[in-house]
Amino acid sequence: MRTSTLFLILLMCAAPCAAQSDSTWTTEAQGRVSFNQVGFYRWHDGGISSLALGAGVSGEAQKTATASQHQHEVRLAFGVVRQNSIDLRKSEDIIHLRSTFKFSRVPIFGQSNLAITLDLRSQFADGFRYNEKKSGVEALRISGFFSPAILTQTVGLDYQANSWVNLRFGVAAKQTVVTIRALRERYKVSPDALLRWQVGMAGLVIVERTVFTNVHLKSTLTFFVAFNQPSPDTIWETLVTMKVNSWLQVNAEYTALFDKDLSPYIQQKQALTVGVSFRIL
């Protein structure tokens, strides 16, 4: 509890410490809507009718002052798919928030600066594992809203290697929150507790660059190593955004996740979407 109290004090101090009278804000937010439908009726080649809908919002706000800088990022996405007579199933479900506070007047080890990073990951709707059988489809609920929610707070160093590579490393606290009691055992949370605390080391590597005209690449590698568990929890996310014109956008995404508490294997997800994009801010 002493460690958790220390982290909470540092986080509460971050906002007022970063606020400066000579600061400026820059903001950007974008929405996306995608739709795909395929139908067959007496088609000689066969096929499966399908319907897919998806929507997402991503944004970033950055405040720069004389002695500090703080950056807030948000990514929300949700999608569903339906094939033949099977009920709607979700195909995409993301809640991801990240805030970073950098203090430029506290240089440590040359070009590195003190940084505090807050990260939250969860989802909107229940997730199921489906087991197709001759007698029907069995669905096992394995996740839900804030079940789990992964919160990570890191205090450490920030190093801007160049204009498109950013490195962060430090001491971290991680909380795995599971609000649905029946799912707590799956995520190694005590049945009588709302969350599980872990303390360790965390790192973040961000590669972000405009590769070609209208082609933007952002790849992040996040890891957390608990002091009492040498196996690292790792997430590698790569998103390539291709703007066809002012309103048409193609997204290619790849995610690899390794968490030994959930699976001894590397979990992978890939997605390719074409949809209408629009600027919010």
Side-chain angles (χ1 to χ4, degrees):
M1 290 302 294
R2 291 181 179 179
T3 305
S4 61
T5 303
L6 175 61
F7 271 92
L8 292 175
I9 292 173
L10 288 170
L11 301 181
M12 287 187 293
C13 290
C17 289
Q20 300 289 333
S21 59
D22 56 349
S23 60
T24 58
W25 278 100
T26 57
T27 59
E28 182 180 356
Q30 185 169 295
R32 167 185 59 85
V33 177
S34 59
F35 171 79
N36 177 268
Q37 190 270 334
V38 179
F40 297 94
Y41 179 70
R42 296 179 179 175
W43 189 250
H44 69 282
D45 286 338
I48 298 177
S49 300
S50 65
L51 171 67
L53 298 170
V57 175
S58 59
E60 180 178 317
Q62 182 171 294
K63 186 177 183 180
T64 304
T66 304
S68 65
Q69 179 188 79
H70 55 106
Q71 183 180 28
H72 308 284
E73 301 172 79
V74 58
R75 185 183 178 202
L76 309 174
F78 190 78
V80 293
V81 62
R82 181 174 183 177
Q83 292 182 327
N84 283 351
S85 59
I86 298 176
D87 292 338
L88 282 175
R89 299 179 179 180
K90 71 174 184 179
S91 58
E92 184 180 26
D93 193 354
I94 299 172
I95 298 176
H96 187 197
L97 310 174
R98 179 186 291 139
S99 293
T100 303
F101 303 87
K102 302 179 184 179
F103 304 95
S104 56
R105 286 184 180 176
V106 190
I108 303 174
F109 300 120
Q111 298 300 315
S112 300
N113 296 302
L114 177 65
I116 299 175
T117 302
L118 317 178
D119 193 276
L120 166 66
R121 295 174 183 268
S122 191
Q123 61 189 46
F124 291 101
D126 288 347
F128 295 89
R129 176 179 293 162
Y130 296 96
N131 184 17
E132 311 288 347
K133 292 187 175 182
K134 293 182 179 180
S135 58
V137 178
E138 292 185 357
L140 174 67
R141 184 171 66 167
I142 58 174
S143 61
F145 179 69
F146 261 66
S147 293
I150 308 298
L151 297 89
T152 308
Q153 306 86 39
T154 306
V155 179
L157 301 177
D158 176 271
Y159 175 66
Q160 190 72 43
N162 51 47
S163 60
W164 51 280
V165 178
N166 184 231
L167 309 175
R168 300 173 196 168
F169 180 78
V171 180
K174 176 182 176 181
Q175 303 85 46
T176 302
V177 180
V178 182
T179 58
I180 301 174
R181 187 184 181 91
L183 298 178
R184 289 175 182 170
E185 185 176 352
R186 171 179 172 79
Y187 295 99
K188 304 299 188 293
V189 177
S190 172
D192 298 324
L194 179 64
L195 55 84
R196 177 178 59 141
W197 267 90
Q198 292 176 288
V199 179
M201 306 296 293
L204 176 64
V205 180
I206 302 175
V207 177
E208 186 170 9
R209 189 172 190 178
T210 299
V211 184
F212 305 106
T213 303
N214 294 334
V215 178
H216 185 77
L217 166 70
K218 185 172 183 179
S219 184
T220 62
L221 177 64
T222 306
F223 67 87
F224 174 83
V225 183
F227 289 140
N228 63 344
Q229 183 179 328
S231 177
D233 300 336
T234 308
I235 302 177
W236 178 32
E237 300 168 291
T238 299
L239 176 63
V240 178
T241 303
M242 295 163 279
K243 297 283 293 184
V244 179
N245 51 41
S246 60
W247 55 272
L248 185 62
Q249 179 174 297
V250 179
N251 289 344
E253 181 179 359
Y254 174 79
T255 303
L257 166 66
F258 178 74
D259 187 338
K260 198 171 182 179
D261 288 339
L262 302 181
S263 172
Y265 307 104
I266 297 176
Q267 304 175 58
Q268 301 179 69
K269 181 183 73 172
Q270 57 184 359
L272 179 65
T273 60
V274 179
V276 175
S277 66
F278 51 92
R279 187 176 295 275
I280 300 173
L281 292 175

